[in-house]
Each structure stands twice: as structure tokens, then as C-alpha cells.
Amino acid sequence: MLELVNTTGQRPRNLILIGFMGTGKTTIGKRVARSLGMKFVDTDLLIAEKAGKSIPTIFEESGEDAFRSLETEVLKECRERDGQVVSTGGGIVTRPENLEILKSSGYVIWLKASPEIIFERVSRNQNRPLLKTRNPQKTITDLLTQRDDLYAGAQHLSINTDELTMEETCFGVTESTKLALGID
Ligand code: S3P
């Protein structure tokens, strides 16, 4: 059952999208935000803005830990605001403290996809430092194994996108968000 009450006892007014790299959080988040009249934000973009550097440069110069600290900072800042669709980085669930922040920020939907589909999607772009390995396909499977329970612990609803078109996924996300957030 949904527990959509934040620390101030009020109903949170954000939609938070979580899930592995390449599951469509940004594309779907933008479309859903448009149809719900909400603001779209992306934690990776907020981090890059804050640091004044791209995500790969942050990883390269300062390491993953520094990136994760910035990620927690921007997530906390998002929680202070309402009326947003927040697309999060795929590793946001790896910091235990983020799980509670995510759940208290709004309605959390976990977008799922199979390792094969993820691999196909992420192969098209080189912006993911964690996948610059000798065998990205294996890295995806390993990271998914490590993270699946974490996503499961942070979500209010999960949607398996493998068999869905983009329109169908957007429809599911939009309609469940309307119900969860009490939007007409
Ligand atoms: C990461 C996912 C990326 C980005 C960074 C680390 C991860 O975001 O935050 O490269 O650990 O899975 P996307 O999920 O938007 O690709």
C-alpha cells in the first residue's frame, strides 16, 4: 500500500522516477511532466550545474564518492520543492540515506527493463562512466543484481517497460501519478 506522507505529514507533490541507466527515466519524465503540467528536473543535470562540470568529468576528477555526495545534496534540494517530475540517476539507490529521502520526496515509480534492452539503449551513448568497462554487458548484469533489491525498497510502484511502447509507459506513469498525487 502507498505511504505517501512526508515528514511534515503532508502529501508530497512530486513524481520521482528511479531505475537503471537506459530505462527511459528522462524521456518518459519529460513527456509526463508536460502532460501533467509539472516541471521536469533531472538530478544528473542539477549535479552537473552545481559542479560546473559534466558527469564523466566529475567521475574522472573526483571519483564516484564525490559524485554520490552531490547526488544526495541535489536530491535533498528537490525534496524541498513541489510540482516536479524528478528523473534520478540510476545509482541514486546505492546510498542508504537516499532511500528515505526518495520516498519522502513524492510518488516513486521504478522503471524496469531487461539487461538486453538496457544494453541496446546505452550502447548508443558514451556518457556513462560506470559502463566504460571491458565487458559493459556483464557490468550491466552485475549492477542490476546489486541494485534490484534497492530499487524495490525505494519504490511505490514498478513498471516493466520491456513489452510497452513509450506511449503506453507514459500513459501508465501519468495515470498512476494522477491517482497517487490526487491530480484531476
Ligand atoms: C549512474 C547513472 C547515470 C549517472 C551516472 C551514474 C549509475 O544516470 O547518474 O553516470 O550509477 O547508474 P542515468 O541513469 O540517467 O544514466
Side-chain angles (χ1 to χ4, degrees):
M1 206 40 224
L2 293 181
E3 284 173 49
L4 277 180
V5 176
N6 65 19
T7 44
T8 58
Q10 281 159 353
R11 220 168 194 218
R13 309 288 302 176
N14 299 307
L15 163 66
I16 318 290
L17 295 176
I18 62 168
F20 203 77
M21 298 173 251
T23 50
K25 291 163 293 178
T26 302
T27 314
I28 288 157
K30 280 182 182 166
R31 288 194 188 197
V32 170
R34 210 177 309 131
S35 62
L36 292 177
M38 292 166 82
K39 183 179 157 71
F40 173 79
V41 297
D42 181 317
T43 55
D44 279 348
L45 288 180
L46 295 173
I47 293 166
E49 235 172 69
K50 201 182 243 296
K53 294 171 191 169
S54 70
I55 304 298
T57 308
I58 300 171
F59 269 79
E60 210 176 291
E61 291 182 358
S62 317
E64 182 173 350
D65 243 31
F67 171 81
R68 296 290 168 213
S69 298
L70 285 168
E71 191 165 55
T72 299
E73 258 182 57
V74 302
L75 182 61
K76 283 182 179 164
E77 287 163 14
C78 287
R79 184 172 55 175
E80 301 304 309
R81 299 185 292 262
D82 271 336
Q84 317 158 99
V85 174
V86 184
S87 168
T88 60
I92 203 152
V93 291
T94 60
R95 277 243 170 141
E97 68 177 303
N98 291 352
L99 302 184
E100 167 50 32
I101 307 173
L102 283 165
K103 274 205 155 170
S104 59
S105 298
Y107 181 51
V108 183
I109 299 185
W110 173 20
L111 296 179
K112 300 169 84 169
S114 64
E116 295 74 26
I117 289 185
I118 288 172
F119 179 66
E120 192 199 304
R121 293 204 190 130
V122 299
S123 306
R124 292 182 217 135
N125 113 26
Q126 297 299 309
N127 270 337
R128 271 112 175 181
L130 291 182
L131 298 181
K132 292 201 174 199
T133 59
R134 285 171 58 179
N135 186 348
Q137 213 155 357
K138 181 173 183 309
T139 307
I140 289 170
T141 315
D142 290 349
L143 285 174
L144 275 171
T145 308
Q146 288 166 28
R147 292 178 178 178
D148 264 3
D149 286 351
L150 301 173
Y151 294 127
Q155 48 112 35
H156 294 111
L157 178 82
S158 69
I159 299 179
N160 189 338
T161 63
D162 279 351
E163 309 285 328
L164 301 178
T165 62
M166 178 73 73
E167 286 69 28
E168 287 168 335
T169 305
C170 287
F171 181 80
V173 171
T174 305
E175 292 307 309
S176 50
T177 302
K178 282 184 187 169
L179 278 178
L181 299 187
I183 300 169
D184 295 330

